[in-house]
Amino acid sequence: MKNRENRHLLKNSLYILSVLLVSLLFGFPHLIGLIKNDPYIPTVVVDVVPISFDENHYAARIYKSFATGRLVSDAYTYEYRDSPYVLPSISTLILGFLARSFGSVQNLFIAADFLFPPLNFIVISLFVYAFTKHRLLSLIGSWFVLLHIEIMNW
């Protein structure tokens, strides 16, 4: 009975360690940016984060939603700022409200890189476990999927 409890504790410890490691791995570029750059702005990417799609694509929309508190039609072109909203993107509104709770859009991007990848890791792990019923395999599968996605983005 004691041996079974030790194995259960070890597997839970591996999950907790993995979640913390994923958070650190995806948030690490921000730590480097905070150390290297005096005024660090994560939405302006220069020699800090090799992948800047989120920062370049979503930051303007999220900031506009953060500033106005409503859905954004076009945050990129001044002439179209008041045009009707065509593509519903509730995510920018949600992230705009989250940016208010974090204090700024820049803080949101830093927090998101520490919070969302571990949440993805947990969801992927639960999904793999639902199919395999093997905890270690779900842990390995989650690492594989997250790292594969990250490597493919580079």
Side-chain angles (χ1 to χ4, degrees):
M1 189 68 153
K2 187 82 166 164
N3 190 24
R4 184 176 167 184
E5 289 174 4
N6 287 341
R7 281 189 292 150
H8 188 68
L9 181 64
L10 177 66
K11 288 179 182 179
N12 285 341
S13 299
L14 283 174
Y15 269 94
I16 292 169
L17 183 66
S18 291
V19 167
L20 292 175
L21 195 59
V22 165
S23 179
L24 197 67
L25 180 71
F26 283 84
F28 190 70
H30 294 294
L31 296 177
I32 292 173
L34 289 168
I35 292 169
K36 282 175 58 175
N37 304 325
D38 189 10
Y40 174 63
I41 303 171
T43 53
V44 178
V45 181
V46 180
D47 294 333
V48 177
V49 183
I51 302 165
S52 61
F53 177 77
D54 290 342
E55 288 82 356
N56 291 335
H57 185 71
Y58 292 114
R61 295 175 64 88
I62 293 170
Y63 179 75
K64 193 73 169 172
S65 181
F66 167 74
T68 63
R70 58 185 175 90
L71 289 173
V72 178
S73 58
D74 191 348
Y76 309 107
T77 311
Y78 182 79
E79 291 81 10
Y80 298 125
R81 70 186 181 281
D82 294 325
S83 62
Y85 195 73
V86 178
L87 296 172
S89 178
I90 196 75
S91 63
T92 57
L93 186 63
I94 292 170
L95 289 173
F97 284 123
L98 282 175
R100 285 184 179 186
S101 66
F102 283 109
S104 71
V105 175
Q106 287 82 12
N107 292 344
L108 171 71
F109 272 89
I110 293 172
D113 282 341
F114 280 99
L115 296 175
F116 291 144
L119 290 174
N120 287 342
F121 182 84
I122 292 168
V123 169
I124 293 168
S125 178
L126 291 172
F127 186 73
V128 173
Y129 182 77
F131 283 106
T132 63
K133 301 292 186 219
H134 195 271
R135 294 182 75 182
L136 190 59
L137 190 59
S138 71
L139 186 70
I140 293 168
S142 299
W143 272 108
F144 177 77
V145 170
L146 275 184
L147 292 179
H148 179 72
I149 290 170
E150 189 65 21
I151 290 169
M152 294 305 290
N153 282 334
W154 283 46

